[in-house]
Amino acid sequence: MAELLQSGRLIDGILVLVIVEALVLFILSKRLANAPCFADLWPTLASGLCLMLALRFTLDDSPWTFVAGALLAALIVHVMDIYSRFRRV
């Protein structure tokens, strides 16, 4: 299990699953009347995806700017998500 995590393959699998989840949720939001709007869901998915990318970059010993960029993107999308939630209240 440690090898799977240290090689980054586990993170790659999680990244693929998040993308598949986003596609499924997008399709469901278009087809089902009572499904949540995808515009309300994507920031949560995107911030998680960015955090996983930051972890993947760290495991690959990528330049620190890649890690920082992914973390900054996660922060920006997370703030957008929080802002949109408070705006609706």
Side-chain angles (χ1 to χ4, degrees):
M1 184 64 161
E3 203 316 284
L4 188 63
L5 181 60
Q6 290 171 344
S7 71
R9 288 185 301 214
L10 182 63
I11 304 305
D12 292 341
I14 292 170
L15 288 168
V16 169
L17 287 175
V18 170
I19 292 168
V20 169
E21 178 185 15
L23 290 171
V24 168
L25 289 171
F26 178 76
I27 291 168
L28 289 176
S29 72
K30 296 293 181 190
R31 294 192 179 184
L32 299 176
N34 62 345
C37 178
F38 187 73
D40 295 338
L41 301 173
W42 81 264
T44 303
L45 293 167
S47 62
L49 188 75
C50 290
L51 290 172
M52 288 293 111
L53 280 173
L55 178 57
R56 184 66 171 105
F57 290 145
T58 301
L59 291 173
D60 277 348
D61 290 325
S62 296
W64 70 268
T65 53
F66 286 30
V67 178
L71 290 173
L72 179 61
L75 173 65
I76 290 168
V77 178
H78 178 66
V79 168
M80 288 171 50
D81 185 26
I82 297 298
Y83 176 77
S84 70
R85 290 173 190 263
F86 273 95
R87 195 181 65 202
R88 280 184 258 139
V89 175

